Amino acid sequence: MFTLFGATGDLSMRKILPALFVAHRDAKLHASGRIICVSKQSFSRDEYLDWVSKNAVQYVKGSESVNPNDAVWQSFLARIDYLPLDLVEPTGYQRLAELLAENKVVSVFYLATSPLLFERICANLAASTIDLSQARVVLEKPLGHDLRSSHAINDAVARVFAEDQIYRIDHYLGKESVQNLLALRFANSLFEPLWRRESIAHVQLTIAEQLGVEGRGEFYDGTGALRDMVQNHLLQLLCTVAMEPPTSFDANAVRDEKVRVLRALRPFSAEDLELRAVRGQYVAGAVNNQSVPGYLQEPGIGTHSQTETFVALHAEINNWRWAGVPFFLRTGKRLAHRAAEIIITFRPVPHAILPMPFGPSGTVSNRLVIRLQPDESIQLHCLAKQPGDGMIMQPVALDLSFDQAFQQRRAEAYERLLLDAIRGNLSLFVRRDEQEAAWKWVEPLLNHWQSSASPPKPYMAGSWGPTASFAMMARAGAQWPEDR
Ligand code: BG6
């Protein structure tokens, strides 16, 4: 039984219900499994199903797309019950208990609501007659806005559910490409001997978006890119690149290694806060040749808002494998392209016997480029001799495109994560200690920016962020790829 709290919200329409539909269509849901959609809106079941058909169908994308009249969509709707409920009031939960009692399969409670409601929802579930002993609870981000508030949320949920019943979503962990990064590292012996400070000069992790705040102005203005993208998605990617090989693929073995990386992140010194961290905010510009307004002109944004829509950081991991290797993290809204990629730059050859090409930051060296989106690929950039006379070196890429190598459709992140929650596989969910270690690392930066007199650096929508981000790289003797 899958209970979706916040069932009329944006996330439910865009991600959760489309993902459940695809799982239903692919016969991955238990034949008798039902979906109980809960929200405070006083819809009848028919009204709610109409709402879902109007609002969720468009997000079932690509080859999966579906028409609301299709039999398969109608059979999906037949699984859904709707329960209007005041989430903070214990009384209505009895009706939920009755619906759940009709079916004895494991209950999954998905909390796609404001985290401010998590405590009440969990307490009301506990006070009802619902049997929670085998249940699972899925928590959507943001889980707090700093370490203290995340502690409070985790404590409240822990009063009702044990840690191994709690599934904290970071949808980046559900992306096929992130799993492929694990496969690249732990199913191939080729890279492991090179995966360390002796061979790697630096690592860059970028999540660039063309989108702006997309009708979420009010939420975003109180959040900013550091909380929205760095504390979770970028740090999870960093852990996937930097963790030690776990002893098994068991959820806790993997999560033990990730938390070690987070705890080894070098804390920001006063100097780092100035020199190794850049925050930016977009001003009006053009994305894909379309004019777009600046952040301050977006609906729901405070006139003098200092919320960052761009962050670039120079991080380091204090352990034997990585000491001294810069990890550059970058994310932003309204950037030139949508791209998520990891670039591992290897050290140049120790002694060049051939004439090596030079880039602005020295001899060109090997790079491993792992592209997560929009298209998924891995490229190994090598140097090769240009055909013809002389020994003229030129970078060439050994290219693995996953689209070409695999014809099968690849599941969306939410599809995989929802099925994992239903099946009880915690590997791709964030454990409490990971989440809190990530907050602990970003918190000095949050506090510094909050009290700082200097506002975020402006950048034009459609660019690659403020020039300060390029300057930060130059100080470390590196460059973002657009600067080459
Ligand atoms: C979400 C953020 O977690 O991730 C959004 O809240 C962001 O602001 C989104 O747009 C990006 O996800 P993806 O999968 O489109 O890269």
Side-chain angles (χ1 to χ4, degrees), residues 49-116:
L49 296 186
D50 263 4
W51 167 276
V52 174
S53 291
K54 284 202 191 84
N55 292 287
V57 162
Q58 58 190 302
Y59 296 109
V60 181
K61 290 200 193 111
S63 57
E64 322 302 319
S65 62
V66 64
N67 185 304
N69 298 321
D70 291 351
V72 63
W73 179 259
Q74 291 300 320
S75 64
F76 172 62
L77 294 186
R79 282 186 185 269
I80 299 181
D81 289 309
Y82 182 70
L83 181 63
L85 190 67
D86 180 347
L87 299 179
V88 292
E89 281 301 321
T91 42
Y93 284 69
Q94 202 38 47
R95 177 71 193 119
L96 179 60
E98 286 160 20
L99 285 172
L100 291 173
E102 287 169 15
N103 200 319
K104 288 280 166 242
V105 290
V106 170
S107 289
V108 176
F109 299 99
Y110 195 119
L111 309 196
T113 63
S114 156
L116 297 175

Side-chain angles (χ1 to χ4, degrees), residues 19-34:
L20 285 170
F21 164 72
V22 175
H24 162 81
R25 193 215 44 197
D26 294 352
K28 290 185 176 157
L29 298 181
H30 193 284
S32 65
R34 298 201 60 77

Side-chain angles (χ1 to χ4, degrees), residues 15 141 171-172 175 207 209 211 216 219-220 228-229 233 333 338 373:
K15 299 285 187 190
K141 72 182 260 282
H171 78 278
Y172 264 71
K175 289 185 189 268
I207 305 179
E209 296 186 89
L211 295 177
R216 296 194 305 159
F219 157 78
Y220 193 87
D228 191 41
M229 298 295 286
H233 307 324
K333 299 239 178 245
R338 174 173 185 250
Q373 59 192 34

Side-chain angles (χ1 to χ4, degrees), residues 372-415:
L372 311 177
Q373 59 192 34
D375 45 323
E376 208 190 316
S377 65
I378 297 182
Q379 290 183 331
L380 183 58
H381 292 255
C382 301
L383 287 154
K385 176 190 166 300
Q386 266 182 22
D389 290 345
M391 289 294 281
I392 302 173
M393 296 298 121
Q394 188 184 315
V396 286
L398 302 177
D399 205 341
L400 169 62
S401 152
F402 287 89
D403 279 342
Q404 282 164 16
F406 301 104
Q407 305 305 320
Q408 298 100 304
R409 135 176 213 282
R410 291 195 284 288
E412 290 279 325
Y414 271 91
E415 277 168 60

